[in-house]
Amino acid sequence: MSSSTVLWYNSPAKAWTQSLPIGNGTLGAMIYGSTSKELLCLNHDELWNGRPKNTVKEGAPEAFKKARDLALAGKLHEAQKEIETNFHSTWSQAYMPLGNLEIDFEGKGRVKNYRRSLDLENAVASVEYTQSNIKYKREYFASYPSKIIAAKFTSEGGKMNFAFGLTAKLLSSSFVEGNTVILDGECHGENNIDNESCKRKYVEEPEMRGMRYRAVAKVITDGKTRTVENKLSVSDATYAYIFITSETSFNGWNKHPFLEGKEYIKPCMERIAAVENYEKEKLAHIADYTELYGRVNLDLGEGKGNLPTNKRLVAFKKDKSDISLITLVYNYGRYLAISSSRIGSQPSTLQGIWNDRITPPWHSNYTVNINTEMNYWPVLMCRMPEVNYPLIEMVKELSISGETAAKGQYGAKGWTSHHNVDLWRLSTPVAGSAQWAFWHGSSGWLCEHLFEHYEYTNDIDYLRETAYPVMKKAAEFYIDIMTEYEGKLVLAPGTSPENTFEYEGKSCCVGKYSTMSMSIARELFENCIKACNILGIDADFAAELKDTISKMADFKLGSDGQLLEFDDDYPEVEIHHRHVSHLYALHPARLITVDETPELAKACRRTLERRGDNGTGWSLGWKINFWARLLDGDHALKLIELQLRPVKSIGINYTKGGGTYENLFDAHPPFQIDGNFGFVSGITEMLMQSYNGKIYILPALPSKWQNGKVSGLLAKGGVIVDIEWKNGKASSYSLEGKGTFTVILNGKEETVTLTGEKVTFNV
Ligand code: FUC
C-alpha cells in the first residue's frame, strides 16, 4: 500500500526540512531534488568538534555535600546557587555537518511531470521530471554493507550535462583526482565554551586541533568528464553514477582525534576505488535494509495516497480520515531508526545523523534526560535489536567515563552521567542552570535500555557480560549518594528535568529530592535484582538492593490528586511544562500500572490532565506512550493527531508547540528526531504491550481504528506477535516464541505455553 510506504512531492525542496533523508547509520544525506541545482547535504556520524578532555569540576564533591545539606535544611535557593556556582562543569561538544554535494544541471525549458519521492520499503529516494522532451531520472540510496551513498542519473530522449563538486562549512579544501572529487576537512578541536565556539577561528597547535576527514564523490558515466577547477563536469551522458563515501580520523571516544587519530585517507580511497556496479550495490542495499524493515507490517486502513505528502499533512488538519498517513509516519520512524543507527555506527543524536549547521540546536548532541532514550524506544518492540547496538556501545563507554564523574563530582563509587553526552562521552554536568544540568538520572535510565535488550532477546551471555556489570556499577553510585531524610532514603538534592516550582516566592528547580530520580533508581535496583536471580550471582548485592528499596521514600500525591514531582506539593510555575518526568514510573518504567497500582495510575492520569495535551514534538510523543500505558486509546490518538499538525519548514517558530514538517521530520520545533520515534513506540504500545511475562493484545485501541492488522512485533521474552482486529475488536492473534506467558485481551487473562512454533488464536 504505497499510501503508507511512500513520501512524495510535486516540487523540489526549498528548505532542509522539506528535503528527504537517506542514511546507512554512519553516512547520511538530505536530498533536495532541484532540477537545476541539486543539493545533497552530507553527514558522517563521527564528525563532532572537540576532543577528549577532563571536564570534572574541581571541588565539586564538597559543593555537592554542601548543596545537599542546604536543601535538606529547606534552603533550596541557596542549594541551587551552590550547585550552579561550584558544581557545574563545561558544555557538550556539537555534531557537525560534513558538507554538500552540489550538482549543477544544464537542462533548459519548462519542467513537467516533476515527482520527488522516498520509498520506505526499499530505502530508495528518487527524482523524476521531463524538460524539453527529455525524461530525467535520479535515484539515491545509502548502503550499509558497502558504506557508501550511491546516485544514478539517467536521461531518456536526450543527453545530460552537469557539473558537481563538494563544499563544506568546516575548514576544508577540495580538488579533483581522475574521476573523483575529493574534500579534506577538519572540525574544531577547541572545546565548546558556548554555542558560538564553532564559529571561532581554528587553532593551529596540534593539541588543540580536531577531527579530520576525507569525503569523496566518484563518477562513472558514458559521457565525457572534464576537470573544471575543483569540480568535475560531465557532458553528453545518458547515464552517470556517483558514489560517495567518507572516513574520519576518529579513533575512539578517549583518543585525541588529531594526535592519536586513525588513518582515514587510505581506507576512504580504497573503498571508493572498489565500488563500480550501481545495480549490484542497489540489490545488496535493498536486501540488507528490507531484512530489518520488513520484519514489521502495520495496516490501519486506507488513506489519501493520491495527494503529495505535504498536501496530505495539511488536509489531515481538517479531515482526520486519512488514517494511512499515521501508518506512513509510523513506517517512516522505523525507516529513520534503521537509517540512523546500525552496528558500528554512533547512536542517533537529537537529529539522527542529519544536520546541516555548524551551530545546530542544542549542539545536536545526546540529550539523555528524555531525547536519546526516546530515540530507542521503538527499536526492540519493532524487532530490531541490531539497531539498539550503538546505544549499548555508548552506554558501555559512558560507564567508563562516568566513573570519573561519580568520583570527581560526588566522591562516589560506581558511574554516573548527566543530561548531555557527546562523542567524547561527556558524563559531567554541563554549565548553566541546575534545571537541566544538575541531574544524574541518565546513567540509571540508560541502564533500563540495557536490561530491556536482554528482556526482549533472552540473550543471557549479553546480560552476564555486557548489561549487568554496567547496571551494577550504576546502582552502586545511587546507593552511595543516598541519604536519610525523615527516616527514608532519598537522592538529595533533586531536580526534575527541566521543571521549576515556586518556593519562597521565587522560581526554584532544586527540591529535596525528585520523584523521577527516585523512580529511576528504584527501577534500576529492581532490574539488578532480576538480573542477579537470572544469572544466579551476587545474592548479597541483591539483598542489599532489596533492603535499600524498602527504605526509599515512596510516591506522594498532591492536593489535586496528582503524582507529586518533588518531595512536597510546591506550586507549579509552568503547569503545562513540556517534560512529564515524574511519570517515569508509568512510562518507560513499569513501577506504576493500571492493573497493579490503580490508585497511582489514577494520579498519573490526573497529572497528565493538569499538564494538558499540548507540548513540543517529543512531549506529544511521550504523551502518546503515557496514554497507551493508561490503556486509553482514544486519548493516545488525540496526541497522535496533534503531532501530525503541519509545521512550516521556513522560519523556525520555537513557541507554538510541536508538529510535523513537510518531510515528516518531527518538529520540536525546530527539528528533533525523538518525536518521530516516540510516535512509533506509542502506536506500538497502543496495539501490544509486554512486561513481567504478560502480553497485552490491543490494550489501547482507539475507537476510530475499527479494522486493521499488525505483524512482527516483539514482546518481552522474545515472542513475535501478530494481531488482526475487526469492528474494533481483536479477531485473531498469533504468538511465536518459547515459554509460558499470560495473554491479556479485553481485560481477560489466559495462560499460554509456547514451544517455538507459531500459534494462532482465533477470538
Ligand atoms: C531537553 C528539552 C528541550 C529540548 C532539548 C534538546 O532539554 O527540555 O525541549 O528537547 O532537550
Side-chain angles (χ1 to χ4, degrees), residues 6 39 98 185 280 326 425 437-438 487 498 556:
V6 179
L39 176 61
L98 181 158
K280 198 175 116 204
I326 298 174
R425 306 312 180 224
F438 180 68
E498 304 183 7
K556 282 187 184 171

Side-chain angles (χ1 to χ4, degrees), residues 298-586:
L298 174 66
D299 180 0
L300 294 176
E302 270 304 328
K304 297 182 178 156
N306 55 336
L307 276 183
T309 305
N310 48 337
K311 301 206 169 124
R312 249 180 121 173
L313 203 56
V314 173
F316 190 80
K317 207 175 162 187
K318 285 210 186 101
D319 171 10
K320 307 276 188 275
S321 65
D322 183 6
I323 209 157
S324 75
L325 178 67
I326 298 174
T327 320
L328 178 68
V329 182
Y330 181 87
N331 287 333
Y332 188 53
R334 295 191 302 116
Y335 166 84
L336 292 173
I338 301 166
S339 305
S340 62
S341 192
R342 296 294 300 267
I343 293 174
S345 81
Q346 293 298 317
S348 62
T349 71
L350 286 172
Q351 301 189 178
I353 49 171
W354 299 279
N355 164 40
D356 67 335
R357 301 206 223 159
I358 54 165
T359 52
W362 294 288
H363 300 172
S364 186
N365 65 15
Y366 302 107
T367 305
V368 280
N369 64 11
I370 173 69
N371 317 87
T372 305
E373 288 89 346
M374 188 178 280
N375 284 9
Y376 286 85
W377 284 349
V379 161
L380 292 165
M381 56 181 76
C382 290
R383 208 150 54 93
M384 303 189 289
E386 297 90 334
V387 173
N388 213 27
Y389 279 112
L391 182 74
I392 296 172
E393 286 303 313
M394 180 170 90
V395 183
K396 269 163 65 183
E397 293 168 355
L398 206 53
S399 75
I400 302 169
S401 81
E403 283 181 6
T404 318
K407 192 156 183 264
Q409 295 284 143
Y410 299 85
K413 288 205 288 198
W415 76 277
T416 194
S417 54
H418 295 78
H419 98 299
N420 273 179
V421 174
D422 58 21
L423 185 72
W424 314 108
R425 306 312 180 224
L426 177 81
S427 51
T428 48
V430 302
S433 172
Q435 207 172 325
W436 57 78
F438 180 68
W439 182 76
H440 46 52
S442 63
S443 43
W445 192 341
L446 289 166
C447 281
E448 187 210 40
H449 286 252
L450 294 193
F451 189 63
E452 285 211 324
H453 189 91
Y454 162 75
E455 288 186 297
Y456 278 98
T457 61
N458 291 331
D459 184 345
I460 199 150
D461 294 334
Y462 154 83
L463 179 66
R464 185 185 310 107
E465 279 140 42
T466 302
Y468 176 67
V470 175
M471 290 163 60
K472 182 179 179 185
K473 275 205 297 169
E476 282 169 347
F477 168 76
Y478 292 126
I479 295 179
D480 206 16
I481 64 160
M482 272 192 176
T483 191
E484 228 181 273
Y485 172 67
E486 293 183 344
K488 292 280 181 192
L489 287 178
V490 298
L491 288 163
T495 58
S496 185
E498 304 183 7
N499 208 358
T500 54
F501 53 88
E502 200 187 302
Y503 190 68
E504 294 173 346
K506 279 193 294 183
S507 163
C508 183
C509 64
V510 174
K512 287 174 183 151
Y513 61 89
S514 77
T515 304
M516 184 191 228
S517 298
M518 296 295 288
S519 303
I520 288 174
R522 181 185 294 252
E523 188 203 23
L524 172 65
F525 296 167
E526 287 187 1
N527 286 343
C528 283
I529 297 170
K530 283 186 201 162
C532 292
N533 291 339
I534 295 162
L535 297 170
I537 55 169
D538 275 356
D540 291 349
F541 184 56
E544 184 189 352
L545 289 168
K546 218 171 152 197
D547 181 55
T548 308
I549 292 173
S550 72
K551 293 179 179 149
M552 283 167 73
D554 221 331
F555 295 108
K556 282 187 184 171
L557 301 195
S559 51
D560 196 13
Q562 81 277 29
L563 196 76
L564 284 190
E565 186 156 4
F566 292 92
D567 54 283
D568 207 348
D569 202 349
Y570 305 113
E572 283 126 324
V573 171
E574 203 187 322
I575 194 162
H576 299 134
H577 195 272
R578 60 195 180 285
H579 286 264
V580 203
S581 307
H582 43 323
L583 298 201
Y584 179 89
L586 175 70

Side-chain angles (χ1 to χ4, degrees), residues 40-87:
L40 269 69
C41 294
L42 301 171
N43 286 103
H44 188 301
D45 72 351
E46 294 165 358
L47 284 181
W48 288 68
N49 53 29
R51 57 201 154 88
K53 209 177 170 192
N54 179 6
T55 50
V56 163
K57 174 93 169 179
E58 219 178 293
E62 291 70 38
F64 171 67
K65 285 182 190 96
K66 190 169 167 197
R68 180 159 76 188
D69 292 345
L70 286 166
L72 293 181
K75 296 184 174 171
L76 299 181
H77 291 293
E78 290 81 349
Q80 181 173 340
K81 189 154 178 252
E82 177 62 25
I83 288 165
E84 287 168 356
T85 319
N86 296 320
F87 187 77

Side-chain angles (χ1 to χ4, degrees), residues 631-644:
L631 314 183
D632 189 334
D634 284 338
H635 207 124
L637 180 61
K638 221 170 132 192
L639 269 308
I640 290 173
E641 291 175 350
L642 278 180
Q643 219 181 327
L644 293 179

Side-chain angles (χ1 to χ4, degrees), residues 577-745:
H577 195 272
R578 60 195 180 285
H579 286 264
V580 203
S581 307
H582 43 323
L583 298 201
Y584 179 89
L586 175 70
H587 181 278
R590 285 269 184 185
L591 300 171
I592 298 179
T593 64
V594 170
D595 298 352
E596 283 155 27
T597 52
E599 285 309 312
L600 289 173
K602 209 169 124 201
C604 291
R605 175 177 274 271
R606 186 72 204 111
T607 306
L608 284 171
E609 285 163 358
R610 284 163 57 90
R611 278 280 147 110
D613 289 333
N614 211 357
T616 57
W618 60 258
S619 174
L620 300 172
W622 199 357
K623 287 168 192 162
I624 304 172
N625 290 268
F626 284 133
W627 286 106
R629 288 277 169 98
L630 289 173
L631 314 183
D632 189 334
D634 284 338
H635 207 124
L637 180 61
K638 221 170 132 192
L639 269 308
I640 290 173
E641 291 175 350
L642 278 180
Q643 219 181 327
L644 293 179
R645 279 185 297 211
V647 172
K648 283 203 181 92
S649 287
I650 297 167
I652 293 171
N653 184 336
Y654 285 83
T655 53
K656 285 226 170 120
T660 299
Y661 289 113
E662 286 189 17
N663 67 357
L664 303 186
F665 268 174
D666 187 75
H668 177 290
F671 164 52
Q672 246 180 242
I673 206 162
D674 38 23
N676 285 97
F677 297 133
F679 188 91
V680 180
S681 63
I683 291 177
T684 309
E685 290 233 334
M686 289 160 76
L687 303 174
M688 194 275 291
Q689 292 177 30
S690 61
Y691 78 108
N692 273 355
K694 294 181 188 170
I695 300 174
Y696 289 79
I697 305 291
L698 301 182
L701 188 71
S703 45
K704 277 195 197 164
W705 295 357
Q706 281 291 304
N707 301 301
K709 49 185 181 229
V710 66
S711 61
L713 299 179
L714 190 63
K716 286 182 180 169
V719 181
I720 302 173
V721 182
D722 302 348
I723 310 168
E724 197 165 342
W725 64 97
K726 292 196 177 111
N727 304 318
K729 293 241 174 303
S731 52
S732 70
Y733 63 92
S734 306
L735 304 175
E736 185 182 336
K738 279 187 183 157
T740 300
F741 296 88
T742 306
V743 174
I744 300 172
L745 171 62

